[in-house]
Amino acid sequence: MSTPLELDRSLHPATQASATTAPIKSTQRRFRHVTPPPRTVEEPSQHVLDFDGRVRRSGELVDPTPLLVNLARCVTEVIAGVRSLDQLARWVSDDVYLTLLRRVTIAARSRAITGGQARRPRITIGDPRVTHPAGGVVEAVVMVHQPARSRAVAIRLETVHGRWRASVITVL
């Protein structure tokens, strides 16, 4: 039966090659310290990961205007009941998804009570008013015009892993 010291030596790859050496006593062990090279730490707000995996500066993010227009259109269609909320899931945060789900449920119940059907709304999207309150954050208001009324859709986009994601959507 082997002693624990011999067992440790037999498991170590460097000592397997030299089987003729005597066991090393615990007081004779020396450890070789290897310090890793220093890393340069960059601020996370300066660089973001792009869709294709490349890193670029936060000032180089894609223009959020088309996303804002499409989100306003899609949110209006979701509330009208002609688009599935799941289609927006990848573009909105969990809180926004739950808020929209509540609003969609209320609209569907209202249509069921009144006997109305879900019809695709005839809408015209206005130009978004965009502000940049911080790096990687965009706040905008998009006007959605319908024949009977106009609505304002307020959207806050934040960067998550190099892409825009809506953290707040409010339909007024």
Side-chain angles (χ1 to χ4, degrees):
M1 188 166 176
S2 63
T3 65
L5 206 70
E6 291 174 350
L7 183 62
D8 287 342
R9 194 180 111 233
S10 65
L11 292 176
H12 194 273
T15 56
Q16 285 179 351
S18 61
T20 60
T21 58
I24 299 173
K25 294 181 183 175
S26 62
T27 57
Q28 294 177 344
R29 290 186 187 187
R30 293 185 184 195
F31 296 101
R32 183 175 168 213
H33 292 283
V34 178
T35 52
R39 286 193 239 172
T40 58
V41 178
E42 299 174 354
E43 292 186 27
S45 63
Q46 290 180 349
H47 292 85
V48 293
L49 188 64
D50 195 8
F51 293 109
D52 57 359
R54 70 182 182 98
V55 176
R56 61 179 169 173
R57 294 195 174 277
S58 63
E60 297 175 359
L61 284 170
V62 294
D63 183 27
T65 305
L67 177 62
L68 292 166
V69 169
N70 288 331
L71 275 176
R73 175 180 290 114
C74 291
V75 166
T76 305
E77 290 175 355
V78 164
I79 292 172
V82 295
R83 182 183 292 268
S84 171
L85 180 58
D86 293 335
Q87 295 177 6
L88 294 179
R90 70 175 294 191
W91 300 107
V92 298
S93 66
D94 293 339
D95 294 336
V96 172
Y97 186 86
L98 291 175
T99 303
L100 287 174
L101 181 63
R102 246 182 262 124
R103 188 141 182 191
V104 166
T105 305
I106 291 170
R109 286 181 186 165
S110 174
R111 278 192 304 275
I113 290 172
T114 61
Q117 290 184 347
R119 291 182 293 172
R120 185 165 303 280
R122 293 181 300 163
I123 58 175
T124 305
I125 305 292
D127 292 331
R129 307 281 184 191
V130 181
T131 61
H132 300 273
V137 177
V138 170
E139 292 179 349
V141 175
V142 182
M143 290 300 296
V144 177
H145 304 284
Q146 295 175 316
R149 67 168 137 178
S150 293
R151 293 180 167 184
V153 180
I155 303 172
R156 179 183 172 98
L157 299 178
E158 297 176 356
T159 55
V160 177
H161 301 295
R163 66 182 183 97
W164 294 113
R165 190 164 190 183
S167 59
V168 177
I169 295 180
T170 305
V171 180
L172 303 173

